[in-house]
Amino acid sequence: MRETTTVRPKPLLRPVRPAGWWFDVLLLAGLVLLTVALANGHLFGLDRAIADWSDAHRPPVAYWVARILNYLGQGTPLTLIAAGLGLLLAVRLRSVRPLLPPVVAFAFTYLTIGPLKVWTARPAPSAATREPFLPPERTLPLFQDDLPLRFAQSYPSGHVANAIVWYGVIALLLAPLLRGYGRTMPPRLVTVVRIVPPLVVLTTTTYLGWHWLTDSVAGLLLGLLLDRLLHRVPWDDLPLPRALDRWNPPFTSYP
């Protein structure tokens, strides 16, 4: 009698909404078109108008409220929170799978946001009022490679992109973690966690003059694209090395 082997089914991509790849293409096309428009000097009037209005309507109380709320988009704390949730779930399930989303999300953000900032080399609005004290008209264009790197990393907004990606990962891990303790995470709460913080960060980072409006929009487009890619990954079905056979229970369908 011939020995039979079990064939592992090919992992299927998880569904996202809106379904299909057309929305991903639309997001990518929007990011490319926005970058091309800015590279050709368009939309500067809109950016300047929003920045000037914000400067004229920023009393101390509003400034500090916005600054505190903007911490919702800090990449390092969000990364640590997501990694901590993944580790807690991994220990509870004795599975390495909950560690995969934070690792992949970190790779996605590291390989996209930073390189785009360096390549586009755009100053922030505040570069006109503090070091390097550029003329206001010079703070708008992209590709200012003659500036020191630390003064030209405004486009796209890393705060906005990070907020979208990391709150998506946090929601992905928090739901099964709560189920393991006999609690449920209502779908509306998942939606709130994924939507409200990024919108708050987009608003505050623009209002504070730390990014142009188009920087924030670019971060929104990039973050949504990365978020959709991450949520398509079939985390429970990804093939792992045989050495991890005892450490690969599923987690998105747990318990």
Side-chain angles (χ1 to χ4, degrees):
M1 179 180 297
R2 289 187 305 174
E3 182 179 354
T4 59
T5 58
T6 302
V7 178
R8 189 184 187 96
K10 182 179 180 180
L12 298 177
L13 296 180
R14 300 175 68 205
V16 294
R17 293 187 298 175
W21 291 93
W22 65 269
F23 193 68
D24 304 70
V25 173
L26 192 63
L27 291 170
L28 181 59
L31 180 60
V32 171
L33 290 174
L34 179 59
T35 306
V36 171
L38 292 170
N40 286 278
H42 300 296
L43 301 176
F44 287 176
L46 175 63
D47 274 338
R48 174 54 65 191
I50 297 297
D52 289 345
W53 183 91
S54 298
D55 287 341
H57 298 82
R58 198 185 296 132
V61 173
Y63 168 83
W64 283 107
V65 170
R67 182 160 184 172
I68 292 171
L69 290 176
N70 192 254
Y71 281 106
L72 290 171
Q74 290 289 332
T76 300
L78 289 176
T79 303
L80 294 176
I81 291 172
L85 290 174
L87 181 60
L88 182 60
L89 191 55
V91 171
R92 182 173 181 81
L93 296 179
R94 297 182 180 275
S95 171
V96 298
R97 291 188 180 277
L99 300 175
L100 298 178
V103 171
V104 176
F106 179 80
F108 275 16
T109 55
Y110 182 81
L111 294 174
T112 55
I113 299 173
L116 280 174
K117 284 177 173 291
V118 173
W119 176 60
T120 54
R122 189 188 200 189
S126 56
T129 57
R130 59 189 184 191
E131 197 176 4
F133 299 103
L134 300 174
E137 65 276 5
R138 200 190 163 192
T139 57
L140 286 157
L142 276 65
F143 305 118
Q144 299 195 48
D145 299 317
D146 57 322
L147 289 174
L149 183 60
R150 67 183 185 278
F151 297 135
Q153 296 190 55
S154 187
Y155 182 91
S157 169
H159 276 66
V160 175
N162 274 315
I164 294 172
V165 170
W166 286 114
Y167 282 104
V169 173
I170 288 171
L172 175 68
L173 295 169
L174 193 57
L177 184 61
L178 289 176
R179 287 200 302 269
Y181 289 98
R183 299 183 180 274
T184 60
M185 189 171 182
R188 288 187 179 181
L189 181 57
V190 174
T191 301
V192 169
V193 170
R194 296 188 61 185
I195 292 179
V196 173
L199 289 179
V200 170
V201 172
L202 186 152
T203 302
T204 56
T205 199
T206 305
Y207 176 69
L208 290 167
W210 294 349
H211 284 286
W212 301 104
L213 175 63
T214 50
D215 298 340
S216 296
V217 172
L220 176 67
L221 295 171
L222 177 60
L224 287 174
L225 178 60
L226 297 178
D227 178 75
R228 284 174 63 83
L229 294 176
L230 283 166
H231 279 80
R232 273 194 170 92
V233 178
W235 302 109
D236 287 347
D237 299 318
L238 288 178
L240 296 176
R242 295 192 61 179
L244 297 176
D245 280 349
R246 296 175 58 187
W247 298 87
N248 69 352
F251 75 94
T252 60
S253 56
Y254 164 73

